[in-house]
Amino acid sequence: MLTFTKIQTNHKHYDFVEELLHQSFPLNERRDDDCQRFNTDNNPLFHCYLITENVDEKEESLIGLITVWELNGFRYVEHLATSPAIRNKGYGKLIMEALKKKFSGIIILEVERPEDEISKRRIEFYKRCGFSLCEKDYIQPAYRKGGEGVPLYLMYIGTDNIDPQYPEIRNEIYQKVYNVN
């Protein structure tokens, strides 16, 4: 069984989480370490979870990380990554099932546009997990000054359609997650 443990930077496995962020996301897809650490310890809207699996009563296996923002009427999954040691072993599906059990209501995440085989497969994976694709124009704001935005799409679960609320959802993500007005 997978466990999501909300952690802060003083947790014994925070180094694992930070290193996994570095391995899994290029610089333009994550914030600076100092900003990430600040959010982890101080931002009440931001939650950093260590994902583990109990091997037995005394041992747990480090599976991955997920960061979730508690926003106005929905949760936004900013980062999700699994340890390279367990990739392609079915943990992605288990994580998505655990995510849906842990958080009721609307869950939103960003995906790359389906322009190559990997991005197409990722979208299909989320669809198999129950998410729907919103094909409205969405640009992920830059994480760093001077950086460029990235054209993405949003995917969602917990509602039939986000189109009517799309402008509010996008603006909430821009303002609270990316500090863009």
Side-chain angles (χ1 to χ4, degrees):
M1 182 174 88
L2 296 182
T3 303
F4 288 26
T5 304
K6 185 178 175 205
I7 66 170
Q8 293 189 308
T9 58
N10 62 357
H11 189 276
K12 65 182 179 179
H13 294 304
Y14 187 80
D15 289 345
F16 165 80
V17 167
E18 190 167 83
E19 181 59 30
L20 187 54
L21 273 169
H22 293 180
Q23 291 172 356
S24 303
F25 299 96
L27 214 54
N28 69 336
E29 292 180 15
R30 59 182 164 84
R31 57 183 54 79
D32 290 329
D33 290 344
D34 288 344
C35 292
Q36 187 75 16
R37 292 176 193 140
F38 179 85
N39 280 338
T40 299
D41 289 340
N42 301 296
N43 190 328
L45 302 177
F46 181 82
H47 307 288
C48 179
Y49 294 95
L50 171 68
I51 304 170
T52 58
E53 181 179 46
N54 290 339
V55 177
D56 56 40
E57 290 180 17
K58 296 180 182 179
E59 186 181 349
E60 67 182 3
S61 179
L62 302 178
I63 301 300
L65 73 95
I66 189 166
T67 59
V68 179
W69 290 82
E70 300 275 344
L71 300 177
N72 188 21
F74 65 97
R75 289 178 178 85
Y76 166 69
V77 174
E78 183 176 24
H79 292 107
L80 167 62
T82 56
S83 170
I86 57 95
R87 287 187 185 147
N88 300 313
K89 295 184 178 177
Y91 280 96
K93 183 178 180 189
L94 294 174
I95 290 169
M96 297 312 293
E97 289 171 4
L99 175 72
K100 293 185 291 186
K101 284 180 186 173
K102 182 165 183 65
F103 301 114
S104 61
I106 300 170
I107 301 172
I108 307 279
L109 52 84
E110 298 169 336
V111 292
E112 296 167 338
R113 293 192 180 175
E115 297 171 351
D116 60 30
E117 195 58 36
I118 293 173
S119 56
K120 289 176 186 174
R121 285 179 38 213
R122 189 170 292 125
I123 289 170
E124 289 307 312
F125 165 76
Y126 286 123
K127 283 182 177 179
R128 286 191 306 276
C129 292
F131 282 77
S132 298
L133 184 65
C134 175
E135 294 187 52
K136 291 189 175 287
D137 272 342
Y138 177 84
I139 304 294
Q140 178 192 59
Y143 275 104
R144 291 169 174 70
K145 285 189 176 189
E148 293 185 20
V150 180
L152 301 173
Y153 284 138
L154 295 180
M155 293 193 78
Y156 60 93
I157 196 168
T159 187
D160 291 336
N161 192 342
I162 64 168
D163 288 358
Q165 301 91 3
Y166 175 78
E168 291 83 10
I169 289 170
R170 181 199 58 219
N171 292 345
E172 179 89 358
I173 293 170
Y174 280 11
Q175 291 168 5
K176 302 281 173 56
V177 175
Y178 298 104
N179 296 315
V180 174
N181 290 320

